[in-house]
Amino acid sequence: MKNQKVNGYVFITVTVLVTILVTTLTVAISGQNKNIDLLQNYEKSRIIEEEISAIELVITEYLNNNLNENKYLTEISNFQKMYETPSGSNIKVKILSNDNCFNINSLFYKNSSNKLDVNNTELKRLNEIFKKLKIDTNIINNILDWIDTDKTNIKSINESLEYKKRNIDWLPRNNLAVSNIELTMIPEISAINSEVKEFLCVNLYNNKINILDMNPTKLSYFLPFLSEKNAADLSNIIRKDIWPNSKQKNYTEKNISNLQKEIEQILSRPLEFKEQQYLKTISFNSKSIKAQIIYEDKSGTPYFSSSKYEVDSDNVVKLIYRYGPFKQQL
């Protein structure tokens, strides 16, 4: 009996040891598999990142070549739309102008002390746009608070309280905005995004508003002294190579002086001084471009990324920021 007990005891001990060993190996293998998954996911992310970065370099080179040839970035329709990558993935690219809109940074200018002051003409323009869109103009104060350098709002209340009240994890930039994503971070703007997304944007270097390809309705919003009929007439004129009030044998130089002549002809009156101020930030070409990139891996999983390019102070197109890549159900 003793031997049996001893043998039994030894047998049980061996069984327990084997069980522990198997369990330990299972846990170790499971952990190793997780590490392998992490490495594979990391490698996949790295490949996606590298291939999107490569496309961004292609876009940057294309835009710089375009700038050198045309002196602006309006001609972007010839850009290649589809790419196949070395990993067997597909990338779809769409590039669009990002300055046929109101740049919220134009609400401010830097004074002689290099401090931000409100640009009253552009503030009036934005108020007119909001009125035509039937949006409460008080919301504009939130945009001003996002950019201005003080820490209080129009009611002299600490700005941070508004964000804490809404359980928002960020605070105002209190400087010039950098990306379009910031628009959805401003209280109340995200709620009206569908109404304003075609009108508001963010540009770091370029405060000009490109009106060349605006439809008449949108053009009448940005030049509030024009009716939609006036805007339709002007839209037809500025698309032409030769404008009615220019020399008919030469291409018209698209500038503010010639634009004013055409507007005054349409209105049958000279522009008032306050109306002329609205023309100062008008342009006929683009110096800001956004790229929408859809990356589809070999399994068909889509990833979305967006990039922003601007002509900087050295007259060179530079990548300003990238948002993504991230998975998105399309």
Side-chain angles (χ1 to χ4, degrees), residues 107-310:
L107 289 169
F108 293 85
Y109 68 94
K110 287 190 176 181
N111 61 24
S112 57
S113 301
N114 206 34
K115 293 183 178 179
L116 295 178
D117 275 344
V118 174
N119 183 329
N120 287 314
T121 298
E122 294 307 309
L123 181 57
K124 288 177 183 176
R125 191 198 306 269
L126 188 56
N127 269 278
E128 291 294 335
I129 291 171
F130 271 48
K131 286 176 184 176
K132 288 189 175 184
L133 291 171
K134 294 181 171 54
I135 295 172
D136 183 2
T137 56
N138 288 317
I139 295 176
I140 295 172
N141 292 323
N142 292 321
I143 301 176
L144 294 172
D145 285 336
W146 181 266
I147 298 174
D148 66 27
T149 54
D150 63 50
K151 301 296 189 294
T152 57
N153 61 23
I154 195 170
K155 298 178 181 178
S156 298
I157 299 172
N158 191 313
E159 290 173 351
S160 64
L161 296 178
E162 178 67 22
Y163 288 78
K164 289 176 181 176
K165 181 176 72 177
R166 296 168 181 258
N167 293 318
I168 296 175
D169 293 331
W170 55 83
L171 294 175
R173 179 178 284 279
N174 293 133
N175 206 332
L176 295 176
V178 175
S179 78
N180 286 347
I181 296 117
E182 292 179 53
L183 291 169
T184 59
M185 299 169 74
I186 301 172
E188 297 188 55
I189 294 296
S190 58
I192 58 170
N193 185 55
S194 60
E195 300 165 73
V196 300
K197 64 181 180 180
E198 297 300 321
F199 293 88
L200 300 184
C201 58
V202 174
N203 288 313
L204 196 57
Y205 294 106
N206 179 33
N207 281 337
K208 299 289 186 179
I209 302 168
N210 176 18
I211 65 169
L212 191 59
D213 296 317
M214 283 188 183
N215 62 46
T217 301
K218 189 172 183 179
L219 184 57
S220 70
Y221 281 37
F222 283 87
L223 297 175
F225 49 83
L226 295 180
S227 68
E228 193 166 335
K229 172 63 170 61
N230 297 148
D233 293 339
L234 183 62
S235 180
N236 288 331
I237 289 171
I238 62 178
R239 283 184 169 87
K240 296 176 180 177
D241 291 330
I242 301 174
W243 296 357
N245 289 286
S246 300
K247 293 180 179 179
Q248 296 302 293
K249 293 184 179 180
N250 300 318
Y251 286 129
T252 299
E253 182 180 352
K254 295 180 180 180
N255 57 31
I256 298 306
S257 176
N258 286 328
L259 178 68
Q260 184 171 333
K261 289 178 189 176
E262 300 302 335
I263 292 174
E264 290 176 339
Q265 181 69 29
I266 289 170
L267 295 176
S268 300
R269 65 171 177 82
L271 285 180
E272 299 175 12
F273 177 75
K274 64 180 181 180
E275 293 171 331
Q276 292 177 32
Q277 301 310 298
Y278 284 111
L279 301 184
K280 285 186 174 181
T281 54
I282 296 302
S283 173
F284 306 95
N285 56 64
S286 182
K287 289 191 175 181
S288 175
I289 297 292
K290 58 184 176 183
Q292 298 171 350
I293 299 172
I294 298 175
Y295 180 103
E296 191 174 276
D297 65 17
K298 288 185 291 186
S299 67
T301 303
Y303 296 81
F304 176 81
S305 181
S306 61
S307 306
K308 170 74 176 306
Y309 306 81
E310 282 192 68

